[in-house]
Amino acid sequence: MKKYLRILSALCLVCLLIPTLCGCAMVDELRESRATYDGDGNILWNGTVYKKLPINEDFCPETNHSEVYVADEDVPVLLLSTYGDQMLTADKEKLFLEHNSYMDERYELAPVYYCREDRYDEFFKKIRYGFPIETVCYHYGYYDEEKMEYIEKEYHLTDEQRSTIEKIMTTVKPTQSGEGWYLDYEWMVSLYDCTEDMLFQRYAMDVCVSGKTYYLRVDDERHTYFYQVPEEYETVFGQIMDAYMAANELENWQATM
Amino acid sequence: MVRKLYKHEFMAWLRVLPFFWVAMLGVAAAARFVQVFESVQSVYYWIVFGSSLLTFFFAVLVLAAVPTVFGIFRFYRNLFTGEGYLSFTLPVTPAQHLLVKATTAICFQIFSLLVVLLSFCVLTFGDMLTELLKAGFYLLKQIPQDKILHIIGYCAEYGVLILAGCLCGHLMYYSCICIGQLLRKNRILGAVGVYFGYQVISQMISTGISLFFTLLGVAGVLDKLIVVMDKYPNATLHVSLSSGCVISLVTAAVMWFVCYIIIRKRLNLE
């Protein structure tokens, strides 16, 4: 009886082990990263259709470098990177796929985005007819020693700060750079007009700091103009630059350590 | 008698080699078993997994070396130590002795290679092995129809090259031992010295040949040949593989001749 029990338990153990010995995380990941073209130029990935968006330089969703390969059904998963088109997933919600192999008219590699079908119309309209400026921000970053990674953040200007900038642009007479006048500034941040979700961003102007004076720098097609910020608005601009200066000071302090 | 000699030689090898084969398969099975815990994505898992892979590759290296080492050991002990007095009383010619030793060693080297392949299958057992086979068949299907004959030819040439290389290698070690045993003392040390002598000579020859061809290239003599090689890349590869086979076989023949002459005419047993 004992002998049969041993054989039975050994068989049970083998039966339990075989399924666990069959799986492979790497193969499973590759299987998840497989996508196919549906014949109309769209991509089918995990049962969701992704449609190709028109190329637009203001449209810049953040890529999180998780790879997806678009290939024929018969291509084995281990050869996906060889025979498939590599895409990167952009946005955490798996909303976009980014493909970098489109050659634009300047012969530069321009990213092509494929958007989830259910949100396509919304993004297509914003690309074709322009996006609403919902916020103005600048990007800054610092190295977090505890997390041991570079943290990138955005500072969003308040309504008051935005209206101050608008006021300066309408009331102050700009100085054109290059005609016997150059600004030697110490710090500069670039402001971007954005949508709330930060998917659309367009360069607007720069804020420059020279000594204790702030300037707004605006470029048109041929010239660069500087608007000197009046003394009464220096506090507002000081607040705008605070986050950037704090990050900068932290980096300088880290560099001296 | 040669058949009996083969039988005893195979039995002697089978007393030792299966231990290494089982160990190799055991290491592969252990490394595969470690992967059961791959869902535990912790540093400890990666340390254990990395160590198991490292052990596997170390075991492959050991298994690649064992047939050569054991072949040298069998050759020296059977023919040049006290056992030699018994071996050479058998009704077997020196050529047959050499043939039996060399072919058995090559056979077990091939068996060991098959065990390495089997252990790789054990290591990747499951989804990974299935996908590897799928990828292999897919790549085979991608070969254009007009290249299939060339590919078969390359495989055959590589096979012959590997066999000729094994034969040449074993006979080189045998000839080192044969030349070393001509000394009165320090015979093993002498054999090692002969081995290094061979290496120096082969390096000098290969350097001389590459220098010669470099000079020919500088003088522009090889320009037409390069054009022809560019035009017929398949034929170039066939010729280079075949010439590799011929060089290995010629070297093996020279080594064979050295061993044969020494065993037949200058045998110097302890």
Side-chain angles (χ1 to χ4, degrees), chain A residues 27-198:
Chain A
V27 174
D28 291 343
E29 262 177 43
L30 282 169
R31 279 178 186 153
E32 273 181 30
S33 71
R34 175 198 277 282
T36 48
Y37 287 114
D38 70 352
D40 298 326
N42 302 326
I43 292 171
L44 190 65
W45 181 45
N46 282 342
T48 312
V49 176
Y50 288 80
K51 290 176 83 171
K52 191 176 174 180
L53 286 167
I55 291 168
N56 183 283
E57 58 184 25
D58 297 337
F59 183 63
C60 44
E62 198 181 325
T63 309
N64 57 18
H65 300 290
S66 158
E67 287 160 351
V68 173
Y69 296 97
V70 191
D72 292 338
E73 287 285 356
D74 64 333
V75 175
V77 289
L78 295 179
L79 296 174
L80 282 177
S81 58
T82 313
Y83 288 95
D85 285 340
Q86 192 197 39
M87 306 271 164
L88 297 172
T89 57
D91 192 83
K92 284 173 193 167
E93 297 170 49
K94 293 181 178 173
L95 190 57
F96 305 104
L97 295 177
E98 183 192 340
H99 186 32
N100 271 308
S101 69
Y102 176 82
M103 199 72 82
D104 69 2
E105 61 272 12
R106 289 169 298 166
Y107 299 101
E108 286 175 2
L109 281 179
V112 178
Y113 291 100
Y114 289 79
C115 162
R116 220 165 58 195
E117 197 181 28
D118 57 327
R119 304 282 296 277
Y120 178 80
D121 290 339
E122 175 195 337
F123 294 116
F124 181 82
K125 276 178 196 163
K126 283 181 182 171
I127 288 171
R128 184 54 55 91
Y129 305 113
F131 63 91
I133 299 166
E134 291 163 344
T135 178
V136 176
C137 76
Y138 67 81
H139 302 273
Y140 68 100
Y142 59 90
Y143 183 76
D144 189 323
E145 282 188 333
E146 277 183 19
K147 291 181 184 170
M148 291 176 64
E149 61 178 320
Y150 192 78
I151 309 286
E152 284 178 54
K153 284 192 167 182
E154 296 104 31
Y155 176 83
H156 293 266
L157 272 64
T158 60
D159 290 341
E160 185 201 351
Q161 289 163 346
R162 283 173 66 180
S163 61
T164 307
I165 289 174
E166 276 164 25
K167 246 184 247 171
I168 294 166
M169 300 284 282
T170 49
T171 54
V172 176
K173 190 174 178 267
T175 312
Q176 190 183 324
S177 178
E179 290 187 343
W181 186 87
Y182 294 95
L183 179 68
D184 190 16
Y185 53 83
E186 288 116 40
W187 311 102
M188 185 187 82
V189 292
S190 298
L191 300 181
Y192 292 88
D193 294 332
C194 317
T195 52
E196 199 72 59
D197 52 16
M198 300 295 288

Side-chain angles (χ1 to χ4, degrees), chain A residues 17-18 20-29 31 34 72 74-79 83, chain B residues 29 32-33 35-36 38-39 41 125-128 130-132 134-136 138-139 141-142:
Chain A
L17 268 177
I18 282 175
T20 52
L21 284 172
C22 282
C24 176
M26 186 189 143
V27 174
D28 291 343
E29 262 177 43
R31 279 178 186 153
R34 175 198 277 282
D72 292 338
D74 64 333
V75 175
V77 289
L78 295 179
L79 296 174
Y83 288 95
Chain B
R32 181 65 191 90
F33 183 70
Q35 292 170 52
V36 171
E38 65 189 344
S39 54
Q41 293 285 331
F125 178 76
D127 279 359
M128 181 53 97
T130 317
E131 289 302 331
L132 277 171
K134 273 187 197 170
Y138 184 83
L139 287 174
K141 270 198 266 173
Q142 300 301 308

Side-chain angles (χ1 to χ4, degrees), chain B residues 13 20 37 49 85 154 178 217 219 245-246:
Chain B
W13 278 80
F20 289 95
F37 305 100
F49 177 61
Y85 291 101
Y154 292 145
C178 288
C245 294
V246 171

